[in-house]
Amino acid sequence: MYIDFHTHCDRKSPDLINLQTLHVTPELQVEELPNICSLGLHPWFIQLETWESAWLNLVDLAKLSQVVAIGECGLDRNIDLPLETQISIFQKHIKFAESLQKPIVIHCVRAFSELIALKKDTKSTVPWIIHGFNKKEEVFQRLLKHDFYFSFGAAILSDRSPILQAITTIPNNRFLLETDDRTDISIRQIYDRAAALRHVSREALQTQLIETYHQLTGLGLS
Ligand SMILES: [Zn+2]
């Protein structure tokens, strides 16, 4: 069994757990939710006029059992939306995830210090998973020390990626794998590359990531 921990694509296969992430709008309906999904307000798509009604819809929908995580949500210093606004909306996600005891899937661009500060200040007890992580070793080590989890994607396929060291050395129970918005790659390629870098078999990696997935999402092994 493969797990694509963060994808924007609706893929179906008997050997795949496809954790599809959706940006919640005020209009999103329960009928549109995939069997397994993660819901949040993505910083790229937050609109000042509509985000509050989108938020109310999110609060309603995210209580459903098929919603196994909150996000993607987070902070992005490269967009126009002021960082203070992003932080206050992200704080709502943190509080909400805590009340539901569901993990948070994080989008973070050039705001890792703020992210670490928020994790400390909020004393959140749910897992924080940084998706699409692709930063240098020093940032990785800092985040690892602060108990973050990671989801690695297409970046590990490149021989020049700054995270090759991270994917090779990270402890077994601290990461998952993803395709994100890449429709041109499959999660199998990511697994094969991760298994090769970590010198384990694909089967061993599959077993390990299933365990991590259940540990993070609190789902039973059934
Ligand atoms: Zn994404």
Side-chain angles (χ1 to χ4, degrees):
M1 184 66 81
Y2 294 92
I3 301 167
D4 191 341
F5 187 70
H6 179 87
T7 174
H8 296 262
C9 305
D10 178 16
R11 293 191 184 92
K12 287 188 180 67
S13 167
D15 64 350
L16 173 67
I17 295 174
N18 194 65
L19 182 44
Q20 199 183 333
T21 180
L22 297 180
H23 169 75
V24 178
T25 60
E27 295 80 30
L28 183 69
Q29 304 278 322
V30 65
E31 295 77 25
E32 299 171 70
L33 298 185
N35 287 344
I36 305 173
C37 61
S38 154
L39 299 182
L41 302 189
H42 191 304
W44 290 359
F45 308 119
I46 289 173
Q47 288 175 348
L48 290 174
E49 312 76 50
T50 55
W51 79 263
E52 280 174 311
S53 48
W55 175 260
L56 293 177
N57 196 21
L58 166 67
V59 166
D60 232 26
L61 294 172
K63 290 173 184 152
L64 297 167
S65 59
Q66 75 231 61
V67 182
V68 300
I70 301 303
E72 63 182 296
C73 52
L75 308 173
D76 191 326
R77 216 182 221 109
N78 285 355
I79 60 174
D80 288 339
L81 189 70
L83 198 61
E84 306 80 70
T85 311
Q86 295 186 45
I87 288 177
S88 77
I89 297 174
F90 183 44
Q91 280 170 327
K92 288 174 87 78
H93 285 83
I94 299 167
K95 223 168 145 185
F96 183 51
E98 189 70 23
S99 75
L100 295 179
Q101 287 293 295
K102 293 185 181 186
I104 310 175
V105 181
I106 297 162
H107 167 101
C108 186
V109 177
R110 296 178 54 222
F112 288 102
S113 299
E114 287 83 356
L115 188 68
I116 292 171
L118 278 165
K119 191 167 189 293
K120 277 202 240 163
D121 293 349
T122 57
K123 300 189 171 59
S124 166
T125 62
V126 298
W128 289 36
I129 304 128
I130 300 179
H131 103 80
F133 187 74
N134 191 21
K135 286 285 159 280
K136 55 182 194 240
E137 183 65 15
E138 185 194 318
V139 181
F140 169 69
Q141 289 299 340
R142 244 172 92 206
L143 293 164
L144 193 65
K145 212 162 60 198
H146 284 96
D147 296 328
F148 284 88
Y149 293 81
F150 300 84
S151 177
F152 299 110
I156 68 167
L157 299 175
S158 154
D159 283 329
R160 289 187 301 273
S161 167
I163 52 161
L164 291 184
Q165 171 97 345
I167 179 69
T168 308
T169 59
I170 186 168
N172 278 340
N173 61 350
R174 297 288 290 276
F175 75 98
L176 287 156
L177 299 172
E178 65 175 52
T179 58
D180 199 8
D181 55 358
R182 294 282 297 264
T183 50
D184 57 327
I185 52 169
S186 90
I187 194 67
R188 291 162 189 82
Q189 282 171 267
I190 308 276
Y191 266 71
D192 285 345
R193 171 72 166 165
L197 288 167
R198 292 175 69 76
H199 303 292
V200 295
S201 67
R202 187 206 298 145
E203 292 71 24
L205 183 63
Q206 284 177 314
T207 307
Q208 173 209 313
L209 295 191
I210 288 276
E211 264 176 42
T212 305
Y213 175 72
H214 287 299
Q215 177 204 325
L216 295 187
T217 59
L219 297 171
L221 281 166
S222 60

